Each structure stands twice: as structure tokens, then as C-alpha cells.
Amino acid sequence: MWKTSSVLIGIVLLLTTLGVIMLASASPASSASPLQDPFVLRQAGALLVGLIAATVVARTDYHRWRTLAVPIALVAAVLLLLVLVPGVGRTVKGSQRWLPLGPLSVQPSEVAKLALVLLMGWWMSRVQRRAESLVQGLIVPLVMMGVMIGLVFKEPDFGTTMLMGTVGMAIMFAGGARISYLLTAGALGFSAISLAIMQNAERMRRIIAFLNPDQFAQDEAFQLLNAIYAFVVGGRLGVGLGGSLQKRHYLPEAHTDFIFAIVGEELGLVASLLVLALFLGLFVCGLRISYRAMDSFGRLVAFGITAMITLQAAINIGVVTGCLPTKGLPLPFMSYGGTSLTVTLVMVGILVNIALQAGGEHADDNIPVIKDRARHL
């Protein structure tokens, strides 16, 4: 699948290039030159590391990840535990999500996303035709998934919790778990998250502000309204690169979660639609690679990676455009965040390797459940 992998690589390079350009424009730093901007320099460094790692991973047989799935999951769980230890993890705006490493910080929840995809892909490909059983197809994978998701939830990070839970359940579905079991577990999980949100005053205010933004224009809905206004001001072609007014005090998180609003303001509707088209192209490439992968592990991992990246992008864009309540999820490849960018590029590297091995002479076609369900995705 050289063509598909080449298109995928081209899409990712376009998104990362646009991301660096927009970060240089939206950065809160007041440096005279982007080359002196610490945010741009850190992101460029993370991009370089991520591209090198992705190149190495793309040349590495993805079957090795099968044996590494459990160790990586254990490492991710340990990192998630460490970040919760007082005095070890770094707290920013009420959430303890970062581990300081000298001048840098690592976000363990980003590592946990990759670990979850590998772990669920390993388990569901292992049980295969036994996936419809209650224990092996539902309880065991839910327990494994619940450990990591529970630690992320404790940070607290509700957005990543829901993202990981949704992707984990999607991999279980693709792996052959009973739909009735998944619907029941999904309903219980959604109820638990809803109850936790209702008991959290800050997040309840976000929900209420999302439903009634005009009443909270100066506090909880401040960023939401200004993000929407950025698209209105940008119009069809935008106000020009670097000409954003919203990034100056009106959108405090413009370089992170709300960078898509700056794209809309400075480059206009055309560029915004281009970003949407690129993520849609990534989604199509990912599903095609998943369907054509040579075995069940490759298919499930490719499906999980595709779902993780594109669903996160959809949630971020939904938040910025006012379609979803505010959540702290970055836009993949574009938002500021070294750990997120590096891990996402590693995911792409795995996806490319699966594509390059697709349809090989040792392909395992004895997995009708995955193929049948893939036709309905």
C-alpha cells in the first residue's frame, strides 16, 4: 500500500508544517522573531524528535509491538501513578498532568493513549473468536482499560478519559465483542462520567456555559465566544498571517487547545476547510490500512490509532466551533505540546509500517469478524 502510506505521510507533513507556522503566529511570547520564541523552539525540537522516532518506527516490524504491548502499558501506568504523587507531578490550573524532567515536562496521558491502543489490540487479537464471551471479550479488556483510564481520570482529565474510553470500546467492537455487552458497558461508563461531572462544580459550569454562552460571556464562555468570533472575523480568506486580534488576550490558550480558531481568523474559511479535509483524508487512509492489514493485530492497532487521532481532532474542532462543551484536548499535529506531537508521530510511524506490510504472503484472512465489522465503519 505504497500509495496510501505516501498520502498519509503527505497529510501528516502538511498538518505539522501548518502547525508550526500557526504556533509561531499564535504564540503568547512577545519575541521579535519566531526563532527566538521558546514555544516555537520547543515545538520544533519535539517535531524533530517525533519525525526521527516515526521514521525508525516505520522501518520496524509492527509485530514487535505485540510483545511490547504489556510492558508499555505497565510503564504508562507507572508514569500515570507518578504524576499523581504530591511533589512529583506538576500541577497547572488545578490538574496534575505533567512530570517535570529538567527544563522539559512529559505528559503521561499521551503515552497512555498509545499504550491503550497496543494493549487492546494485543488482547482482542489474542482472543479472536472467543471475543464474544463475557469474560474474555468484555470483563478482562475493561479491567485493563479501566486501570489506565481511572488514573487519567484522577488527574483530573475528563476529556482524555472519555477519548480513551471511546477508542478502547471501538477496538473491542472491531475485535468482535458482543454489541449488547458494549452498549451496556458504554451506558454505565457514560452514566459514571456524567455523575462525576455533576459533582464537579467547575465542569458543571462549563456545561451550563456551553448551553447558555451569552450569560457567561465574561467567564466560562469567554474563550468559546471569542473563538467563534475569530471565525466570523476571518471570513473566507482571513485577516492575514500574524494579524489575529483574538490571540491578544482574548484567547489565552490560542497556541494550545484553540489554535484552530486562529487558523480560521488569520487564514479564513478556506484554510479551515483544508484542515478538516486533511483529517478526513487521514481517517480514510487509516481505515484503508486497517482493512488491508495482514493480521488481526495489525488491523486492530491501525483502527485504534486512526480512531484515537481523528476522534481527538473532531472533539477539538467541535469545542472550538461551539459544537461541544470545552475540553482540554489539543488538536493533533498542530497544538503546542511536545509529548502529544511526538507520541502522535510515533503512532503514524506504526500505521505506515502496517501499511507497508499489508497484503503480504503471510496475511491472515481467517478473521471474518473484523472484516465484516470494518465494512460497516
Side-chain angles (χ1 to χ4, degrees):
M1 300 185 68
W2 280 99
K3 289 184 179 179
T4 302
S5 59
S6 297
V7 171
L8 174 65
I9 293 171
I11 288 172
V12 171
L13 290 177
L14 283 173
L15 286 170
T16 52
T17 301
L18 181 59
V20 172
I21 292 172
M22 295 311 303
L23 177 62
S25 175
S27 172
S30 57
S31 303
S33 169
L35 296 178
Q36 300 173 355
D37 191 324
F39 291 94
V40 176
L41 292 176
R42 289 172 193 163
Q43 192 77 347
L47 176 59
L48 178 61
V49 172
L51 289 175
I52 294 173
T55 302
V56 173
V57 169
R59 295 173 176 271
T60 302
D61 187 347
Y62 72 87
H63 293 96
R64 295 187 181 182
W65 295 101
R66 187 195 295 268
T67 58
L68 293 173
V70 174
I72 290 175
L74 291 174
V75 170
V78 171
L79 292 175
L80 290 170
L81 280 171
L82 285 176
V83 83
L84 296 174
V85 176
V88 177
R90 185 163 63 92
T91 302
V92 178
K93 296 182 179 180
S95 296
Q96 201 160 333
R97 304 177 185 175
W98 290 268
L99 279 177
L101 295 176
L104 304 177
S105 294
V106 174
Q107 196 168 357
S109 60
E110 295 295 333
V111 180
K113 292 176 186 177
L114 173 59
L116 177 73
V117 170
L118 295 175
L119 184 65
M120 298 301 289
W122 163 75
W123 178 258
M124 296 308 295
S125 66
R126 181 183 179 188
V127 298
Q128 292 196 27
R129 296 185 181 278
R130 292 168 289 161
E132 291 192 346
S133 71
L134 177 63
V135 174
Q136 297 190 42
L138 183 73
I139 296 178
V140 173
L142 279 184
V143 170
M144 294 189 297
M145 183 170 65
V147 172
M148 279 191 286
I149 291 179
L151 292 172
V152 173
F153 179 78
K154 287 287 292 181
E155 293 180 353
D157 189 342
F158 285 58
T160 302
T161 298
M162 289 187 284
L163 173 66
M164 292 176 63
T166 303
V167 173
M169 297 282 280
I171 296 174
M172 292 167 63
F173 165 77
R178 284 184 181 271
I179 296 177
S180 57
Y181 292 163
L182 293 176
L183 290 176
T184 302
L188 292 174
F190 181 78
S191 300
I193 287 287
S194 299
L195 182 61
I197 290 175
M198 288 191 295
Q199 294 178 342
N200 187 297
E202 179 185 351
R203 281 164 177 79
M204 274 304 299
R205 284 196 301 270
R206 290 184 182 181
I207 299 294
I208 296 172
F210 167 71
L211 297 174
N212 304 280
D214 293 335
Q215 298 180 19
F216 297 85
Q218 299 303 316
D219 35 60
E220 277 78 9
F222 181 78
Q223 281 188 300
L224 170 60
L225 291 175
N226 280 285
I228 295 174
Y229 183 66
F231 289 103
V232 173
V233 171
R236 186 167 58 92
L237 298 176
V239 297
L241 190 63
S244 170
L245 176 64
Q246 299 306 105
K247 68 185 180 184
R248 306 181 191 281
H249 310 299
Y250 297 104
L251 277 174
E253 303 296 333
H255 65 302
T256 55
D257 302 342
F258 283 81
I259 197 165
F260 186 64
I262 306 303
V263 173
E265 184 181 9
E266 295 191 350
L267 303 181
L269 177 64
V270 173
S272 300
L273 292 178
L274 173 62
V275 172
L276 290 175
L278 289 173
F279 277 112
L280 178 60
L282 191 151
F283 178 72
V284 172
C285 288
L287 287 189
R288 181 175 171 80
I289 291 169
S290 175
Y291 185 74
R292 296 285 300 277
M294 67 185 299
D295 55 21
S296 59
F297 177 71
R299 287 173 182 158
L300 291 172
V301 169
F303 175 72
I305 288 174
T306 303
M308 187 70 76
I309 295 174
T310 54
L311 181 58
Q312 180 172 326
I315 293 173
N316 176 276
I317 292 172
V319 167
V320 174
T321 55
C323 299
L324 294 172
T326 303
K327 295 177 180 66
L329 287 174
L331 184 61
F333 307 112
M334 296 184 67
S335 291
Y336 174 73
T339 310
S340 174
L341 179 59
T342 302
V343 173
T344 306
L345 287 172
V346 169
M347 288 185 184
V348 172
I350 296 174
L351 203 55
V352 169
N353 185 262
I354 295 173
L356 295 180
Q357 296 194 50
E361 59 178 338
H362 301 295
D364 175 14
D365 291 321
N366 191 28
I367 41 176
V369 172
I370 297 175
K371 282 207 165 187
D372 287 344
R373 296 194 173 186
R375 293 190 181 99
H376 294 87
L377 292 174

